[in-house]
Amino acid sequence: MAKNAPPALETSLDNLEALVERMESGELTLEDSLKAFEEGVRLSRECQQALQQAEQKVRILLEQNTEADPEPFTGGDDEQ
């Protein structure tokens, strides 16, 4: 993987988002919609797998550093 290439999760999410937009446009035939749905399921599984791998890495790192105290991610707290 090249240094400037986006991580697999972000690429899969971008592809999934584009696929959903195509499907929501209503311009696909039934056959194309089924193919797009199948691709969406595949991308969704890739994303889930990437998230599970990341979670496993975090667990391993926390086990190695017993002084680390994980905190829940709240996201977007810097917005006011």
Side-chain angles (χ1 to χ4, degrees), residues 11-27:
T11 301
S12 292
L13 284 173
D14 288 344
N15 291 341
L16 186 57
E17 185 177 341
L19 188 62
V20 168
E21 288 175 8
R22 282 184 45 221
M23 291 178 72
E24 288 178 340
S25 74
E27 296 177 8

Side-chain angles (χ1 to χ4, degrees), residues 72-79:
F73 177 74
T74 56
D77 281 349
D78 57 344
E79 294 178 7

Side-chain angles (χ1 to χ4, degrees), residues 7 9 11 24 27 29 41 51 61 64-65 72-73:
L9 176 63
T11 301
E24 288 178 340
E27 296 177 8
T29 64
V41 169
L51 289 172
L61 291 172
Q64 291 174 352
N65 184 359
F73 177 74

Side-chain angles (χ1 to χ4, degrees), residues 16 38-50 52:
L16 186 57
E38 184 177 357
E39 177 69 6
V41 169
R42 185 188 66 75
L43 288 169
S44 176
R45 287 182 180 151
E46 283 181 11
C47 292
Q48 185 63 33
Q49 184 178 21
Q52 287 172 341

